[in-house]
Amino acid sequence: MEKSYDPKQVETRWYRTWSERGYFHASVETEGRPYVIVIPPPNITGSLHMGHALNNTVQDILIRWRRMQGLNALWVPGTDHAGIATQNVVEKQLLAEGSSRDKLGRDRFVQRVWEWKAQSGGTIIEQLKRLGSSCDWDRLRFTMDEGLSKAVREVFVRLHEDKLIYRGKRLINWCPRCLTALSDIEVEHEETTGKLYHIRYPLTDDSATHLTVATTRPETMLGDTGVAVHPEDPRYNRLIGKSVALPLTQRRIPIVGDPILVDREFGTGAVKITPAHDFNDFESGLRHNLARLAVFDQHARMDASGMREAQVDAALQERLASQPVKKARALVVEALEQGGFLAKVEDHAMALGKCYRCKTAVEPYLSPQWFVKIQPLAEPAIKAVESGQIRLIPEQWTNNYLGWMRDIKDWCISRQIWWGHQIPAWYCRHCNTEAILETASPKSVTITSDARPIVARTAPDHCPDCGQHDFVRDPDVLDTWFSSALWPFSTLGWPDQTPELKKFYPTSTLVTGFDILFFWVARMIMMGLKFMGPVPFQDVYIHALVRDAEGQKMSKSKGNVIDPLAVMDKYGTDALRFTLAAMASPGRDIKLSEERIEGYRNFANKLWNAARFILMNLDGPRAEAPLAERPIADRWITSRLHRCIGDVNRSLEEYRFDEAANAVYHFIWHEYCDWYLELAKPALAEKDSVQAAHTRATLVESFETVLRLLHPFMPFITEEIWQAIPHTGESIMVAPYPSQSTALIDEDIESQIASVTSVVSATRNIRGTQGIAPSRELRVSVATPTAVVTGTLTANVSLITSLGKMSDLVLGTYIKPYDTGASSSITFRGGGIGEVQVDLAGLIDVGKETARIEKRLKELAAQMEQDEKKLSKPDFVAKVPPDVLKKTQARHDECRAEHDKLSGELKRLQEMAGGPS
Ligand SMILES: [Zn+2]
Ligand SMILES: [Zn+2]
């Protein structure tokens, strides 16, 4: 083995070997219970970030663990076509070339996106391989590949047949920049301060009397088709049935009573109804049969024909034409004021909806769209979680899920973009002449809500009504999440009844971030239940976000992004994976710092050095005798190892990746390396003894087992070392995972070694604080709490004296102070041990040591005074950057601790010097 570990060449070499040998592939023919995970398909526009790194590390740990346990483990990989995101990327490229999607036309544009995908769409896949992901790459899928497109059409047609998909003119969330509909959860809400405008609407039968309405959107009042009051409001209820003259227009609109729309306490208690521009008004309009007048166009600009239809005053129409929302608002308010209609304006807190892609303010927009009627699909999906058929982990997410599902709204699935699954609906030109609006340049088709669609798996041959053959296809594409909702079964070949589908559905575990719980997970559950019957997966493990060390969200603008690729270059992939696993506590965000990753890189090096030590000590025969015949240290490490194996397996069963990683870390570092390799030395020193042969066997057995235990977390270094030490099998990846043997756990041996290591630790501690060189031998006496402990220690005297480098060890429940003088010994209390005394006679120079401590105490006092002065100044605390303040406080605490410790030692030294001689 090389002197130091070089991750780069090892990682590339092993990943290629595993892949070439087909270890990643899961076959339907393989025996064994299947264990299946489908990957959350990353966007083809994506590049690996820490969120991906965490998500895929967790999946790979589960898959490698289950594979080693002998399950037929399948991890299905793939990518998502990511409709709007991908279209935006290619549109930007076109813009830079002086072209545009309109110039290209639909077919050539879509062709261009496919070309882009062929060149750049595989980046993220290569990065996932770099992370060590053991996906079955033979089964790589893409949400727009042929098979998945077939599944999408099948689902669409069947839902339509079941009357669960409909097309209708509805108010939808609309991004006036992306020019597409957005689903409710694609709208981000931002708190802001707006204004509440009080506007007087004169009664038609008494123009001296007004009904004053309060609104935050005065510019949409031109599209009002009613005014609502509460039917039980004594101020207004006599007005119900009358009408008002809508200011700035030539229209009269009715006053209606609507207890659902009107909150008597809000504003004036009277509100305008604008069904074409507000969701609640839209519903109220349906209840009262009010017309919908849209006065804004798709770009959120005042629409000339809409204003004509709304009979807006001619002069105002001219001034408003094509004005954007903000400008239109100012002009309308100005006109209201001039006409004496504006009663009052006040500040008002409100939530503003923004497009999650481009942050443009979202407008409610009336347009023909496709919807999934969701209630009938949601009900079984609620039951599946309530009944425990699907488990959300951590459990706290269950209430979120249920709450959202019980209040779910119909899902708008059409998007007005070109990249995606085009909706399988056609319109007969002959039967829909009025409803199909086509323009030549740029070429575009608009289908009004009056058109009658023919929904089919393939283009219809002839119109069932008129028999003609001339069709227009619906230009909209489906929401990206429509295809990913089918992912657990479409990737396995559905709608065909493939052997894969039979073998691997339902899948076992889904690993995801909470941010896509509703976008994706809920919809997979609904679709899985509807089209497959059984739930799509049993466990949903929901992991947290990866933030920076201060708990801030990582972002390019803040400059606090830790790039997983750079980290893998610098510290190795295993270190990154182990860090993410060790920090994955349920329900808590990960505060990632480079120091942590560096720490686990050191852990990898520790493992490497242990391997080198073991290899150097394997010279000679290995006797694999029954455990009871082996040295106590060997029996101890075997017992501890099997405890650790139990902990790791249990923690992984419970998705406690942090506990599993920390258990194996603690075992390797603090028990195996710190103690066992030390405890083994005395036996190994007698090279030709039976003891040495036993210990060599134990070294190999235990270390080989540890490597297998660690493999799912650190796949690369464990394989490299495993191949170098004695083993059976061709790769650790396909070797069996350790399982606990409780028969090997020996409490008595464990407590014996605990006593031994406590005594050794205690003497080492004294050595450290007294500055005694490691090479100098000590005279030690130990007062034990019981005769049993005395017996235990007596049985292990040679181990203790060898590890503690002692020339003399006295044991007993009572010990006398060393007669070299009371002043020359100190005491130390170790865990359950009693008292450890080290004879210091001749080992330290009291005068010199006193001087050294006094000098250091002075330095510390000065530093503390300086820091205290700073920290007592309010100015300093308020103005310095938080990390400087933190550092100052930490330094002060450290100085204080060192000062206390040294003061104690000084006191002891003085007692020693001043005591009887
Ligand atoms: Zn947008
Ligand atoms: Zn027809």
Side-chain angles (χ1 to χ4, degrees), residues 462-512:
H462 63 275
C463 171
D465 292 332
C466 70
Q468 301 221 16
H469 306 274
D470 190 12
F471 294 99
V472 179
R473 184 162 184 182
D474 195 301
D476 290 356
V477 301
L478 288 166
D479 180 4
T480 296
W481 299 99
F482 192 90
S483 49
S484 45
L486 319 180
W487 192 244
F489 52 93
S490 61
T491 50
L492 297 173
W494 190 92
D496 297 335
Q497 292 304 311
T498 58
E500 280 80 5
L501 200 62
K502 198 159 169 255
K503 179 94 176 178
F504 296 121
Y505 189 94
T507 71
S508 315
T509 304
L510 184 82
V511 178
T512 182

Short mmCIF file of all heavy atoms in Angstrom, two decimals, residues 462-512:
data_model
loop_
_atom_site.label_atom_id
_atom_site.label_comp_id
_atom_site.label_asym_id
_atom_site.label_seq_id
_atom_site.Cartn_x
_atom_site.Cartn_y
_atom_site.Cartn_z
N HIS A 462 -60.15 10.55 -38.62
CA HIS A 462 -61.22 11.40 -39.14
C HIS A 462 -62.09 11.89 -37.99
O HIS A 462 -62.10 11.30 -36.92
CB HIS A 462 -62.07 10.62 -40.15
CG HIS A 462 -62.77 9.46 -39.51
ND1 HIS A 462 -62.17 8.22 -39.36
CD2 HIS A 462 -64.00 9.36 -38.95
CE1 HIS A 462 -62.99 7.41 -38.73
NE2 HIS A 462 -64.11 8.07 -38.47
N CYS A 463 -62.79 13.00 -38.24
CA CYS A 463 -63.63 13.60 -37.20
C CYS A 463 -64.90 12.77 -37.02
O CYS A 463 -65.58 12.46 -37.99
CB CYS A 463 -64.00 15.03 -37.60
SG CYS A 463 -65.22 15.79 -36.54
N PRO A 464 -65.21 12.37 -35.78
CA PRO A 464 -66.41 11.55 -35.57
C PRO A 464 -67.70 12.32 -35.88
O PRO A 464 -68.73 11.70 -36.13
CB PRO A 464 -66.33 11.19 -34.08
CG PRO A 464 -65.39 12.15 -33.46
CD PRO A 464 -64.45 12.62 -34.54
N ASP A 465 -67.64 13.67 -35.88
CA ASP A 465 -68.86 14.45 -36.14
C ASP A 465 -69.08 14.69 -37.63
O ASP A 465 -70.18 14.50 -38.13
CB ASP A 465 -68.78 15.80 -35.41
CG ASP A 465 -68.84 15.61 -33.90
OD1 ASP A 465 -69.45 14.60 -33.45
OD2 ASP A 465 -68.25 16.42 -33.18
N CYS A 466 -68.01 15.11 -38.35
CA CYS A 466 -68.21 15.48 -39.74
C CYS A 466 -67.46 14.57 -40.71
O CYS A 466 -67.61 14.67 -41.92
CB CYS A 466 -67.80 16.93 -39.98
SG CYS A 466 -66.01 17.16 -39.86
N GLY A 467 -66.60 13.71 -40.18
CA GLY A 467 -65.90 12.76 -41.04
C GLY A 467 -64.70 13.34 -41.77
O GLY A 467 -64.03 12.63 -42.51
N GLN A 468 -64.41 14.61 -41.56
CA GLN A 468 -63.28 15.20 -42.29
C GLN A 468 -61.95 14.87 -41.62
O GLN A 468 -61.91 14.33 -40.53
CB GLN A 468 -63.48 16.71 -42.40
CG GLN A 468 -64.77 17.04 -43.13
CD GLN A 468 -64.63 18.19 -44.10
OE1 GLN A 468 -63.52 18.58 -44.46
NE2 GLN A 468 -65.76 18.75 -44.52
N HIS A 469 -60.85 15.25 -42.30
CA HIS A 469 -59.52 14.78 -41.85
C HIS A 469 -58.59 15.91 -41.43
O HIS A 469 -57.40 15.71 -41.29
CB HIS A 469 -58.84 13.99 -42.97
CG HIS A 469 -59.68 12.87 -43.49
ND1 HIS A 469 -59.70 11.63 -42.90
CD2 HIS A 469 -60.57 12.83 -44.51
CE1 HIS A 469 -60.56 10.86 -43.56
NE2 HIS A 469 -61.11 11.57 -44.55
N ASP A 470 -59.11 17.10 -41.25
CA ASP A 470 -58.23 18.26 -41.04
C ASP A 470 -58.23 18.66 -39.56
O ASP A 470 -59.23 19.17 -39.06
CB ASP A 470 -58.72 19.42 -41.92
CG ASP A 470 -57.73 20.55 -41.92
OD1 ASP A 470 -56.59 20.35 -41.45
OD2 ASP A 470 -58.09 21.65 -42.40
N PHE A 471 -57.10 18.40 -38.87
CA PHE A 471 -57.04 18.64 -37.43
C PHE A 471 -55.96 19.64 -37.04
O PHE A 471 -54.96 19.78 -37.72
CB PHE A 471 -56.76 17.33 -36.69
CG PHE A 471 -57.87 16.33 -36.81
CD1 PHE A 471 -57.79 15.30 -37.75
CD2 PHE A 471 -58.99 16.42 -36.01
CE1 PHE A 471 -58.80 14.38 -37.88
CE2 PHE A 471 -60.02 15.49 -36.13
CZ PHE A 471 -59.92 14.47 -37.07
N VAL A 472 -56.20 20.30 -35.90
CA VAL A 472 -55.16 21.11 -35.27
C VAL A 472 -54.87 20.46 -33.92
O VAL A 472 -55.81 20.14 -33.19
CB VAL A 472 -55.64 22.55 -35.02
CG1 VAL A 472 -54.55 23.36 -34.34
CG2 VAL A 472 -56.06 23.20 -36.31
N ARG A 473 -53.59 20.30 -33.60
CA ARG A 473 -53.29 19.72 -32.29
C ARG A 473 -53.25 20.81 -31.24
O ARG A 473 -52.79 21.93 -31.50
CB ARG A 473 -51.94 18.99 -32.33
CG ARG A 473 -51.65 18.30 -31.01
CD ARG A 473 -50.59 17.25 -31.12
NE ARG A 473 -50.43 16.56 -29.83
CZ ARG A 473 -49.55 15.62 -29.60
NH1 ARG A 473 -48.74 15.24 -30.56
NH2 ARG A 473 -49.46 15.04 -28.41
N ASP A 474 -53.68 20.50 -30.06
CA ASP A 474 -53.62 21.45 -28.95
C ASP A 474 -52.16 21.86 -28.76
O ASP A 474 -51.28 20.99 -28.64
CB ASP A 474 -54.15 20.80 -27.67
CG ASP A 474 -54.44 21.82 -26.59
OD1 ASP A 474 -53.51 22.55 -26.18
OD2 ASP A 474 -55.59 21.89 -26.14
N PRO A 475 -51.86 23.17 -28.76
CA PRO A 475 -50.45 23.59 -28.72
C PRO A 475 -49.82 23.48 -27.33
O PRO A 475 -48.60 23.53 -27.21
CB PRO A 475 -50.52 25.07 -29.14
CG PRO A 475 -51.90 25.50 -28.77
CD PRO A 475 -52.79 24.30 -28.91
N ASP A 476 -50.62 23.31 -26.28
CA ASP A 476 -50.06 23.32 -24.92
C ASP A 476 -49.27 22.04 -24.63
O ASP A 476 -49.52 21.00 -25.22
CB ASP A 476 -51.17 23.46 -23.88
CG ASP A 476 -51.80 24.84 -23.91
OD1 ASP A 476 -51.32 25.69 -24.69
OD2 ASP A 476 -52.78 25.05 -23.17
N VAL A 477 -48.34 22.17 -23.69
CA VAL A 477 -47.66 20.97 -23.18
C VAL A 477 -48.07 20.76 -21.73
O VAL A 477 -48.63 21.65 -21.10
CB VAL A 477 -46.11 21.07 -23.28
CG1 VAL A 477 -45.67 21.27 -24.71
CG2 VAL A 477 -45.56 22.15 -22.37
N LEU A 478 -47.75 19.59 -21.21
CA LEU A 478 -48.12 19.26 -19.83
C LEU A 478 -47.09 19.79 -18.84
O LEU A 478 -45.90 19.88 -19.14
CB LEU A 478 -48.23 17.74 -19.67
CG LEU A 478 -49.45 17.13 -20.35
CD1 LEU A 478 -49.29 15.63 -20.45
CD2 LEU A 478 -50.72 17.49 -19.58
N ASP A 479 -47.59 20.14 -17.68
CA ASP A 479 -46.75 20.47 -16.53
C ASP A 479 -45.67 19.38 -16.38
O ASP A 479 -45.97 18.19 -16.49
CB ASP A 479 -47.65 20.50 -15.29
CG ASP A 479 -46.92 20.83 -14.01
OD1 ASP A 479 -45.72 21.12 -14.07
OD2 ASP A 479 -47.58 20.79 -12.94
N THR A 480 -44.42 19.81 -16.16
CA THR A 480 -43.32 18.85 -16.00
C THR A 480 -43.63 17.77 -14.97
O THR A 480 -43.24 16.62 -15.12
CB THR A 480 -42.05 19.61 -15.52
OG1 THR A 480 -41.68 20.50 -16.56
CG2 THR A 480 -40.92 18.66 -15.26
N TRP A 481 -44.34 18.15 -13.92
CA TRP A 481 -44.61 17.21 -12.82
C TRP A 481 -45.62 16.15 -13.21
O TRP A 481 -45.81 15.18 -12.49
CB TRP A 481 -45.07 17.98 -11.58
CG TRP A 481 -44.04 18.92 -11.09
CD1 TRP A 481 -43.99 20.27 -11.34
CD2 TRP A 481 -42.87 18.61 -10.33
NE1 TRP A 481 -42.86 20.80 -10.76
CE2 TRP A 481 -42.16 19.81 -10.13
CE3 TRP A 481 -42.36 17.42 -9.78
CZ2 TRP A 481 -40.97 19.88 -9.41
CZ3 TRP A 481 -41.17 17.49 -9.06
CH2 TRP A 481 -40.49 18.71 -8.89
N PHE A 482 -46.29 16.33 -14.35
CA PHE A 482 -47.24 15.31 -14.79
C PHE A 482 -46.47 14.03 -15.13
O PHE A 482 -46.85 12.93 -14.72
CB PHE A 482 -48.02 15.81 -16.01
CG PHE A 482 -49.21 14.96 -16.36
CD1 PHE A 482 -50.46 15.23 -15.82
CD2 PHE A 482 -49.09 13.89 -17.23
CE1 PHE A 482 -51.57 14.43 -16.14
CE2 PHE A 482 -50.19 13.09 -17.56
CZ PHE A 482 -51.43 13.37 -17.01
N SER A 483 -45.37 14.17 -15.86
CA SER A 483 -44.63 12.95 -16.23
C SER A 483 -43.87 12.39 -15.04
O SER A 483 -43.76 11.17 -14.88
CB SER A 483 -43.69 13.22 -17.39
OG SER A 483 -42.91 14.37 -17.17
N SER A 484 -43.34 13.26 -14.16
CA SER A 484 -42.59 12.71 -13.03
C SER A 484 -43.52 12.06 -12.01
O SER A 484 -43.08 11.24 -11.21
CB SER A 484 -41.66 13.74 -12.39
OG SER A 484 -42.29 14.96 -12.22
N ALA A 485 -44.81 12.41 -12.06
CA ALA A 485 -45.78 11.76 -11.15
C ALA A 485 -45.92 10.27 -11.47
O ALA A 485 -46.36 9.49 -10.64
CB ALA A 485 -47.14 12.45 -11.26
N LEU A 486 -45.53 9.87 -12.68
CA LEU A 486 -45.68 8.46 -13.09
C LEU A 486 -44.39 7.67 -12.90
O LEU A 486 -44.31 6.49 -13.20
CB LEU A 486 -46.07 8.39 -14.58
CG LEU A 486 -47.09 9.42 -15.08
CD1 LEU A 486 -47.37 9.20 -16.56
CD2 LEU A 486 -48.39 9.33 -14.30
N TRP A 487 -43.34 8.36 -12.44
CA TRP A 487 -41.96 7.85 -12.42
C TRP A 487 -41.79 6.45 -11.83
O TRP A 487 -41.09 5.62 -12.43
CB TRP A 487 -41.11 8.89 -11.68
CG TRP A 487 -39.63 8.78 -11.74
CD1 TRP A 487 -38.79 8.55 -10.70
CD2 TRP A 487 -38.78 8.95 -12.89
NE1 TRP A 487 -37.49 8.58 -11.12
CE2 TRP A 487 -37.46 8.81 -12.46
CE3 TRP A 487 -39.02 9.20 -14.26
CZ2 TRP A 487 -36.36 8.91 -13.31
CZ3 TRP A 487 -37.93 9.29 -15.11
CH2 TRP A 487 -36.62 9.14 -14.64
N PRO A 488 -42.42 6.12 -10.69
CA PRO A 488 -42.16 4.78 -10.11
C PRO A 488 -42.66 3.63 -10.98
O PRO A 488 -42.17 2.51 -10.84
CB PRO A 488 -42.93 4.80 -8.77
CG PRO A 488 -43.13 6.24 -8.47
CD PRO A 488 -43.26 6.92 -9.79
N PHE A 489 -43.63 3.85 -11.86
CA PHE A 489 -44.06 2.73 -12.72
C PHE A 489 -43.72 2.95 -14.19
O PHE A 489 -43.46 1.99 -14.90
CB PHE A 489 -45.54 2.38 -12.52
CG PHE A 489 -46.51 3.52 -12.63
CD1 PHE A 489 -47.13 3.81 -13.84
CD2 PHE A 489 -46.84 4.29 -11.52
CE1 PHE A 489 -48.06 4.85 -13.94
CE2 PHE A 489 -47.76 5.33 -11.61
CZ PHE A 489 -48.36 5.61 -12.82
N SER A 490 -43.67 4.22 -14.63
CA SER A 490 -43.33 4.44 -16.04
C SER A 490 -41.89 4.00 -16.33
O SER A 490 -41.59 3.48 -17.39
CB SER A 490 -43.52 5.91 -16.42
OG SER A 490 -42.66 6.73 -15.65
N THR A 491 -41.00 4.18 -15.34
CA THR A 491 -39.60 3.79 -15.55
C THR A 491 -39.44 2.27 -15.63
O THR A 491 -38.43 1.78 -16.13
CB THR A 491 -38.70 4.29 -14.40
OG1 THR A 491 -39.31 3.91 -13.16
CG2 THR A 491 -38.53 5.79 -14.44
N LEU A 492 -40.43 1.54 -15.13
CA LEU A 492 -40.35 0.08 -15.16
C LEU A 492 -41.10 -0.52 -16.35
O LEU A 492 -41.30 -1.72 -16.43
CB LEU A 492 -40.87 -0.51 -13.84
CG LEU A 492 -40.07 -0.11 -12.59
CD1 LEU A 492 -40.76 -0.59 -11.32
CD2 LEU A 492 -38.65 -0.67 -12.65
N GLY A 493 -41.55 0.36 -17.25
CA GLY A 493 -42.10 -0.14 -18.51
C GLY A 493 -43.60 0.05 -18.70
O GLY A 493 -44.11 -0.19 -19.79
N TRP A 494 -44.32 0.48 -17.65
CA TRP A 494 -45.76 0.70 -17.80
C TRP A 494 -46.01 1.65 -18.97
O TRP A 494 -45.21 2.53 -19.17
CB TRP A 494 -46.31 1.30 -16.49
CG TRP A 494 -47.80 1.35 -16.40
CD1 TRP A 494 -48.64 0.42 -15.88
CD2 TRP A 494 -48.64 2.43 -16.85
NE1 TRP A 494 -49.95 0.84 -15.97
CE2 TRP A 494 -49.98 2.07 -16.58
CE3 TRP A 494 -48.41 3.67 -17.49
CZ2 TRP A 494 -51.07 2.89 -16.91
CZ3 TRP A 494 -49.48 4.48 -17.82
CH2 TRP A 494 -50.80 4.08 -17.52
N PRO A 495 -47.07 1.53 -19.76
CA PRO A 495 -48.25 0.66 -19.61
C PRO A 495 -48.06 -0.80 -20.03
O PRO A 495 -48.98 -1.58 -19.88
CB PRO A 495 -49.29 1.34 -20.49
CG PRO A 495 -48.51 2.07 -21.52
CD PRO A 495 -47.24 2.48 -20.87
N ASP A 496 -46.90 -1.13 -20.58
CA ASP A 496 -46.69 -2.55 -20.89
C ASP A 496 -46.51 -3.32 -19.59
O ASP A 496 -45.91 -2.82 -18.64
CB ASP A 496 -45.44 -2.72 -21.78
CG ASP A 496 -45.62 -2.02 -23.12
OD1 ASP A 496 -46.79 -1.84 -23.52
OD2 ASP A 496 -44.62 -1.61 -23.73
N GLN A 497 -47.01 -4.53 -19.56
CA GLN A 497 -46.86 -5.35 -18.35
C GLN A 497 -45.52 -6.07 -18.42
O GLN A 497 -45.45 -7.25 -18.75
CB GLN A 497 -48.02 -6.34 -18.22
CG GLN A 497 -49.36 -5.66 -17.94
CD GLN A 497 -49.34 -4.78 -16.71
OE1 GLN A 497 -48.88 -5.19 -15.65
NE2 GLN A 497 -49.81 -3.54 -16.83
N THR A 498 -44.44 -5.36 -18.12
CA THR A 498 -43.10 -5.91 -18.26
C THR A 498 -42.73 -6.76 -17.04
O THR A 498 -43.32 -6.60 -15.97
CB THR A 498 -42.07 -4.77 -18.35
OG1 THR A 498 -42.21 -3.97 -17.17
CG2 THR A 498 -42.33 -3.88 -19.56
N PRO A 499 -41.74 -7.65 -17.21
CA PRO A 499 -41.24 -8.42 -16.05
C PRO A 499 -40.70 -7.50 -14.96
O PRO A 499 -40.85 -7.80 -13.77
CB PRO A 499 -40.11 -9.26 -16.63
CG PRO A 499 -40.30 -9.24 -18.12
CD PRO A 499 -41.07 -8.01 -18.46
N GLU A 500 -40.12 -6.37 -15.37
CA GLU A 500 -39.58 -5.40 -14.40
C GLU A 500 -40.69 -4.86 -13.50
O GLU A 500 -40.54 -4.74 -12.29
CB GLU A 500 -38.90 -4.22 -15.11
CG GLU A 500 -37.50 -4.50 -15.60
CD GLU A 500 -37.48 -5.28 -16.91
OE1 GLU A 500 -38.58 -5.51 -17.50
OE2 GLU A 500 -36.38 -5.66 -17.35
N LEU A 501 -41.80 -4.53 -14.14
CA LEU A 501 -42.93 -3.96 -13.39
C LEU A 501 -43.43 -4.98 -12.37
O LEU A 501 -43.72 -4.64 -11.23
CB LEU A 501 -44.04 -3.61 -14.38
CG LEU A 501 -45.09 -2.61 -13.90
CD1 LEU A 501 -44.46 -1.26 -13.60
CD2 LEU A 501 -46.18 -2.46 -14.96
N LYS A 502 -43.48 -6.22 -12.80
CA LYS A 502 -43.97 -7.29 -11.93
C LYS A 502 -43.01 -7.51 -10.76
O LYS A 502 -43.42 -7.70 -9.62
CB LYS A 502 -44.08 -8.57 -12.76
CG LYS A 502 -44.96 -9.61 -12.13
CD LYS A 502 -45.46 -10.63 -13.17
CE LYS A 502 -46.11 -11.80 -12.48
NZ LYS A 502 -45.28 -13.02 -12.47
N LYS A 503 -41.73 -7.46 -11.06
CA LYS A 503 -40.72 -7.77 -10.04
C LYS A 503 -40.47 -6.60 -9.08
O LYS A 503 -40.32 -6.78 -7.89
CB LYS A 503 -39.41 -8.15 -10.75
CG LYS A 503 -38.25 -8.48 -9.82
CD LYS A 503 -38.19 -9.96 -9.57
CE LYS A 503 -36.98 -10.33 -8.73
NZ LYS A 503 -36.97 -11.76 -8.45
N PHE A 504 -40.38 -5.39 -9.63
CA PHE A 504 -39.84 -4.27 -8.85
C PHE A 504 -40.87 -3.24 -8.37
O PHE A 504 -40.52 -2.29 -7.69
CB PHE A 504 -38.73 -3.56 -9.63
CG PHE A 504 -37.53 -4.44 -9.91
CD1 PHE A 504 -37.11 -4.69 -11.22
CD2 PHE A 504 -36.81 -4.99 -8.86
CE1 PHE A 504 -36.00 -5.49 -11.47
CE2 PHE A 504 -35.69 -5.78 -9.10
CZ PHE A 504 -35.28 -6.04 -10.41
N TYR A 505 -42.15 -3.38 -8.74
CA TYR A 505 -43.18 -2.47 -8.23
C TYR A 505 -44.02 -3.23 -7.21
O TYR A 505 -44.35 -4.38 -7.46
CB TYR A 505 -44.07 -1.95 -9.37
CG TYR A 505 -45.00 -0.83 -8.91
CD1 TYR A 505 -44.64 0.50 -9.05
CD2 TYR A 505 -46.22 -1.13 -8.29
CE1 TYR A 505 -45.48 1.51 -8.61
CE2 TYR A 505 -47.06 -0.13 -7.85
CZ TYR A 505 -46.68 1.20 -8.01
OH TYR A 505 -47.50 2.21 -7.57
N PRO A 506 -44.37 -2.61 -6.08
CA PRO A 506 -44.04 -1.26 -5.62
C PRO A 506 -42.58 -1.14 -5.18
O PRO A 506 -41.97 -2.12 -4.78
CB PRO A 506 -44.97 -1.06 -4.42
CG PRO A 506 -45.39 -2.40 -3.98
CD PRO A 506 -45.27 -3.30 -5.16
N THR A 507 -42.06 0.08 -5.26
CA THR A 507 -40.69 0.32 -4.83
C THR A 507 -40.66 0.38 -3.30
O THR A 507 -41.71 0.35 -2.66
CB THR A 507 -40.12 1.60 -5.45
OG1 THR A 507 -40.75 2.73 -4.84
CG2 THR A 507 -40.35 1.63 -6.95
N SER A 508 -39.46 0.45 -2.74
CA SER A 508 -39.33 0.33 -1.29
C SER A 508 -39.26 1.68 -0.59
O SER A 508 -40.06 1.98 0.27
CB SER A 508 -38.06 -0.48 -0.97
OG SER A 508 -37.97 -1.61 -1.81
N THR A 509 -38.27 2.47 -0.98
CA THR A 509 -38.02 3.73 -0.28
C THR A 509 -37.88 4.85 -1.28
O THR A 509 -37.27 4.67 -2.33
CB THR A 509 -36.70 3.63 0.53
OG1 THR A 509 -36.77 2.51 1.40
CG2 THR A 509 -36.47 4.88 1.35
N LEU A 510 -38.45 6.00 -0.93
CA LEU A 510 -38.22 7.19 -1.74
C LEU A 510 -37.45 8.17 -0.86
O LEU A 510 -37.79 8.38 0.29
CB LEU A 510 -39.54 7.82 -2.17
CG LEU A 510 -39.34 9.02 -3.10
CD1 LEU A 510 -39.13 8.53 -4.52
CD2 LEU A 510 -40.52 9.96 -3.04
N VAL A 511 -36.38 8.76 -1.41
CA VAL A 511 -35.56 9.70 -0.66
C VAL A 511 -35.71 11.06 -1.32
O VAL A 511 -35.42 11.22 -2.50
CB VAL A 511 -34.08 9.28 -0.67
CG1 VAL A 511 -33.23 10.30 0.06
CG2 VAL A 511 -33.93 7.90 -0.04
N THR A 512 -36.17 12.05 -0.57
CA THR A 512 -36.46 13.34 -1.20
C THR A 512 -36.35 14.49 -0.22
O THR A 512 -36.37 14.29 0.99
CB THR A 512 -37.88 13.30 -1.81
OG1 THR A 512 -38.14 14.54 -2.47
CG2 THR A 512 -38.94 13.11 -0.73
#
